[in-house]
Amino acid sequence: MNETRFERYEFKPFIIEAVKKLGFYEPTDIQERLIPTVLRGESAIGQSQTGTGKTHAYILPMVEKIETNKKGVQAIITAPTRELANQIYQEVLKITSHSEEAIAVKLFIGGTDKQRTIEKLKTQPQIVVGTPGRINDLVKEQALLIHTASLLVVDEADLMLDMGFLEDVDQIASHMQEKLQMLVFSATIPEKLKPFLKKYMENPKYVHVEPKQPTAAKIEHQLLPSRHRNKVNLVFDALQSFNPYLAIVFTNTKKKADEVADGLMAKGLKVGRIHGDLNPRERKKMMKQIVDLEFQYIVATDLAARGIDIKGISHVINYELPSDLDFYIHRVGRTARAGTSGIALTIYDPTDEDALNKLEKMGVTFTHIDFVKGNWVTLDDRNKRKKRQRQTDEIDKKASSLVQKPKKVKPGYKRKRKWEMEKIKKRERRIKRK
Ligand SMILES: Nc1ncnc2c1ncn2[C@@H]1O[C@H](COP(=O)(O)OP(=O)(O)OP(=O)(O)O)[C@@H](O)[C@H]1O
């Protein structure tokens, strides 16, 4: 690519070169609205749908602000999972590696050898990327000196709160420069996060790229009723029929993830799996295999739903609905990224009706399908089916109330009563249809 609209930000030439290499021609909404703010040194909260470029909305201006001749930590990026921290770290390297003057970037995440990390910290990096717990450990051991740093990024901020990491983030912030530029990002910013934001950000620029719907535009949300069928078989049938470029199946627990992965493998599928019970080495190896597209099917818990940007996920299957509906948005947001399209199929039970109603109120529109005798069929909208069921129930009730039970029971009275009720039901249905 020989030109890019990112030139409007007057980034250092090496950053423009890196952006061109990434193939970014047009800044996304959130980038357009936040890059100038970050360059001015202001704090900001960035909320926009999954897959809309939040990561580079902070990476590009952050690298621009690094003073290459100044040693010591200048910027810290925190993320709630090792996989996401590593992914962000890789993205930072894709930019800094174009700089003639070396920019020292280091990744600090749990599950790696802390002693070895401390030994390698003879010189301090200029940019730190990592999970809050490990960064905080290294600060407490005075191995990592962050009093020189003035920019802190909190990515996937709501999950940081849910996972109890904000305490660590708080401690990290308290060891940094007094005048702190804080950048907070997520596709979902819940109310419960607001007190933390108020503590560090007097008057942050709050950029909420108001989407018309909470999830990426080009996701087709499909609903499949379980109807007490074996859900692993349903997932298998769906995967066979989709023949996906890359499908990720989400479950609510690690145990269920193993069950589903084992079930699909027993049916002959080669399946990757990623969840918290894997040891750090296995998780790292698995993520690499997934990114290298060694699998067509992955089974994962919500650990992988956050921010992970795996190119080419064409299908997301919810084996079950998450209890926190924000996780539905993050799960389905693994597909249809950067303007591509994708399919999100959710297998649901009757107990999920309320949650589905809430998602519809949030702006998600579902198509209803079923898998009957090896073929996909489109179903009526479940609300229409429910309404029809309600009407049938009302007609039954009315008919039954109109046909009096005889005081004295005579032979054949049941058949006669049923016949009279049918007559009334037919009349009522005719009236409803008008
Ligand atoms: N300006 C751009 N032009 C084209 N592609 C872009 C641009 N900015 C980012 N991308 C690509 O879009 C994809 C999604 O970006 P990113 O992972 O930053 O989204 P996100 O908003 O952080 O998503 P999530 O909420 O899931 O974390 C990535 O593959 C990234 O390389």
Side-chain angles (χ1 to χ4, degrees):
M1 174 179 277
N2 48 24
E3 59 157 57
T4 171
R5 294 268 173 89
F6 280 84
E7 266 146 2
R8 71 177 70 143
Y9 300 117
E10 285 161 25
F11 284 136
K12 291 179 183 120
F14 81 86
I15 295 178
I16 293 297
E17 192 191 307
V19 163
K20 285 180 182 172
K21 184 104 183 297
L22 287 170
F24 294 180
Y25 174 70
E26 185 75 49
T28 64
D29 278 0
I30 189 87
Q31 290 166 357
E32 195 148 25
R33 293 168 64 177
L34 269 184
I35 288 176
T37 302
V38 179
L39 287 173
R40 284 196 299 272
E42 292 166 17
S43 289
I45 302 163
Q47 179 179 4
S48 78
Q49 284 170 353
T50 55
T52 52
K54 291 188 283 302
T55 312
H56 289 86
Y58 64 77
I59 287 182
L60 298 176
M62 177 203 70
V63 174
E64 171 68 24
K65 287 162 64 81
I66 293 294
E67 295 169 62
T68 49
N69 54 359
K70 200 170 131 198
K71 296 302 163 218
V73 181
Q74 298 175 44
I76 300 176
I77 303 173
T78 58
T81 69
R82 301 167 185 168
E83 287 74 18
L84 180 56
N86 183 44
Q87 177 185 290
I88 295 167
Y89 171 66
Q90 301 301 334
E91 290 304 324
V92 173
L93 291 181
K94 285 180 194 167
I95 308 295
T96 54
S97 57
H98 287 258
S99 166
E100 264 140 44
E101 288 93 30
I103 298 177
V105 191
K106 277 257 182 290
L107 173 69
F108 300 121
I109 54 175
T112 55
D113 181 333
K114 192 158 74 169
Q115 262 337 95
R116 266 212 20 230
T117 305
I118 291 174
E119 280 146 30
K120 287 199 310 199
L121 262 173
K122 295 289 172 271
T123 47
Q124 299 293 312
Q126 288 156 310
I127 298 174
V128 166
V129 186
T131 44
R134 177 50 65 90
I135 293 174
N136 205 15
D137 281 354
L138 294 170
V139 171
K140 279 187 201 148
E141 307 215 12
Q142 296 187 349
L144 182 62
L145 309 169
I146 60 171
H147 59 282
T148 53
S150 60
L151 191 151
L152 174 61
V153 176
V154 183
D155 202 348
E156 301 299 341
D158 64 323
L159 185 62
M160 289 287 208
L161 181 78
D162 286 344
M163 292 173 80
F165 290 153
L166 281 193
E167 184 54 38
D168 283 313
V169 174
D170 217 344
Q171 303 231 345
I172 291 166
S174 65
H175 285 86
M176 295 173 71
Q177 292 271 315
E178 191 60 31
K179 196 176 170 321
L180 186 61
Q181 178 183 9
M182 185 176 272
L183 306 174
V184 174
F185 287 84
S186 180
T188 52
I189 303 265
E191 271 312 305
K192 59 190 177 184
L193 193 60
K194 301 260 156 78
F196 170 79
L197 301 176
K198 279 211 180 68
K199 178 173 177 183
Y200 283 101
M201 307 159 92
E202 294 81 43
N203 52 348
K205 171 152 177 138
Y206 179 53
V207 172
H208 181 185
V209 179
E210 271 296 349
K212 285 172 279 314
Q213 69 279 341
T215 59
K218 295 187 179 173
I219 297 179
E220 187 192 339
H221 300 265
Q222 296 179 346
L223 280 182
L224 169 61
S226 65
R227 295 207 169 122
H228 309 295
R229 293 171 285 188
N230 176 303
K231 286 167 66 165
V232 173
N233 292 346
L234 282 178
V235 170
F236 177 75
D237 291 339
L239 292 173
Q240 291 297 89
S241 142
F242 286 152
N243 187 22
Y245 180 79
L246 174 56
I248 187 164
V249 182
F250 282 108
T251 65
N252 291 348
T253 63
K254 299 174 271 197
K255 184 166 171 290
K256 190 58 83 181
D258 281 333
E259 241 176 70
V260 174
D262 295 342
L264 293 173
M265 288 172 76
K267 292 172 174 290
L269 296 188
K270 184 185 173 211
V271 179
R273 70 184 80 188
I274 182 111
H275 57 63
D277 271 359
L278 273 67
N279 70 42
R281 202 175 35 75
E282 285 168 330
R283 265 170 69 170
K284 192 169 176 194
K285 180 164 173 275
M286 180 55 71
M287 270 315 284
K288 181 150 181 2
Q289 287 176 292
I290 291 170
V291 170
D292 294 347
L293 296 175
E294 283 185 31
F295 298 106
Q296 194 180 358
Y297 318 103
I298 310 161
V299 178
T301 54
D302 285 300
L303 178 90
R306 280 312 184 128
I308 299 292
D309 181 59
I310 301 171
K311 304 276 182 269
I313 290 185
S314 54
H315 294 75
V316 169
I317 295 182
N318 286 309
Y319 179 84
E320 52 203 338
L321 265 174
S323 44
D324 179 339
L325 293 180
D326 281 351
F327 279 70
Y328 175 88
I329 291 171
H330 289 282
R331 284 183 180 182
V332 302
R334 293 320 94 204
T335 188
R337 298 174 72 74
T340 56
S341 60
I343 287 185
L345 171 68
T346 298
I347 303 174
Y348 75 97
D349 300 314
T351 51
D352 294 320
E353 290 290 351
D354 281 353
L356 295 174
N357 293 337
K358 280 197 195 109
L359 283 171
E360 283 172 337
K361 283 208 187 80
M362 285 161 70
V364 176
T365 310
F366 290 110
T367 51
H368 296 70
I369 56 168
D370 199 355
F371 199 68
V372 183
K373 296 194 189 78
N375 298 308
W376 287 104
V377 293
T378 309
L379 298 177
D380 265 350
D381 176 304
R382 68 193 163 78
N383 294 316
K384 238 192 255 156
R385 278 184 276 130
K386 261 187 345 188
K387 194 163 154 250
R388 209 173 40 247
Q389 184 55 50
R390 246 197 326 276
Q391 279 181 352
T392 314
D393 297 348
E394 278 158 20
I395 291 172
D396 286 353
K397 228 182 285 162
K398 186 165 182 179
S400 160
S401 67
L402 290 174
V403 179
Q404 297 305 324
K405 280 202 183 103
K407 296 252 178 325
K408 273 186 80 203
V409 175
K410 287 187 218 122
Y413 93 95
K414 268 191 187 161
R415 203 173 40 253
K416 186 166 174 300
R417 186 164 188 273
K418 194 164 177 299
W419 181 77
E420 279 167 9
M421 278 176 66
E422 275 313 313
K423 233 175 32 177
I424 292 169
K425 283 183 198 174
K426 273 204 191 82
R427 187 190 68 208
E428 286 299 313
R429 276 197 280 271
R430 254 198 320 278
I431 295 166
K432 288 251 183 234
R433 269 200 293 274
K434 280 187 184 122

